[in-house]
Amino acid sequence: MKRTPHTAAVLTLGAVLIAGTTACSTDSAAEPDKIGVVEKLPADPNEAKSKENAKEFRSWVEAHGTAQEKEAAGRVQRIIGEWNEKTGNAYLSTDIEGGKTQVEDPQAAATAIVKAFGEWKDSDQGYASVYDVFGNAMITNHKF
């Protein structure tokens, strides 16, 4: 095969794409974009704690939430993040599978989850984001 500048450019691009895909890391997926939105569920540094957070949240919603909030909160598997009574960010991992789940309206369930979280954690500057079973954002930066 005779190598022309066009062929060399295509081969170089192919090599870069192949090398780039093998060197990708999911660690960078949890970084917020320029407006602070985290599109992928961040890594869970303490899975036992995040599961305990979710259990406490579900228990509170069971006692105080609306019927819709109770049903939606049952989908929360883990709550990752740091927050207190004044500030923080919470990342709520669910078992919602987008359009392929028994949840009739996944977006309504995500909305009910962040509303219930806001009632559970009354804060002046906190934000909650809800993620589906694949770690994709459903709702980001909902003020709670």
Side-chain angles (χ1 to χ4, degrees):
M1 163 166 72
K2 182 177 178 185
R3 296 200 184 243
T4 64
H6 176 58
T7 304
V10 170
L11 291 174
T12 302
L13 177 60
V16 168
L17 290 175
I18 290 170
T21 58
T22 59
C24 284
S25 168
T26 57
D27 293 340
S28 64
E31 294 298 317
D33 65 13
K34 54 188 159 195
I35 58 171
V37 173
V38 179
E39 290 294 331
K40 288 288 195 178
L41 182 67
D44 189 347
N46 186 343
E47 197 167 315
K49 179 65 176 162
S50 65
K51 286 181 178 183
E52 182 63 29
N53 291 338
K55 182 179 175 185
E56 290 174 12
F57 170 66
R58 290 189 307 265
S59 177
W60 185 89
V61 173
E62 191 58 38
H64 304 285
T66 67
Q68 184 182 22
E69 290 171 343
K70 289 175 185 179
E71 184 177 337
R75 312 300 294 201
V76 176
Q77 303 297 305
R78 296 177 293 143
I79 303 176
I80 303 166
E82 296 293 326
W83 61 90
N84 59 30
E85 66 280 353
K86 296 293 178 194
T87 188
N89 290 308
Y91 307 99
L92 292 90
S93 172
T94 71
D95 64 359
I96 297 172
E97 296 180 34
K100 303 176 186 174
T101 185
Q102 63 270 24
V103 174
E104 188 174 313
D105 186 349
Q107 199 60 44
T111 300
I113 290 168
V114 293
K115 286 177 72 177
F117 190 86
E119 294 164 6
W120 182 49
K121 294 295 179 188
D122 186 26
S123 175
D124 296 330
Q125 301 174 26
Y127 294 94
S129 299
V130 177
Y131 298 85
D132 66 13
V133 72
F134 305 109
N136 299 314
M138 297 179 71
I139 293 181
T140 59
N141 291 350
H142 177 84
K143 186 172 172 103
F144 66 86

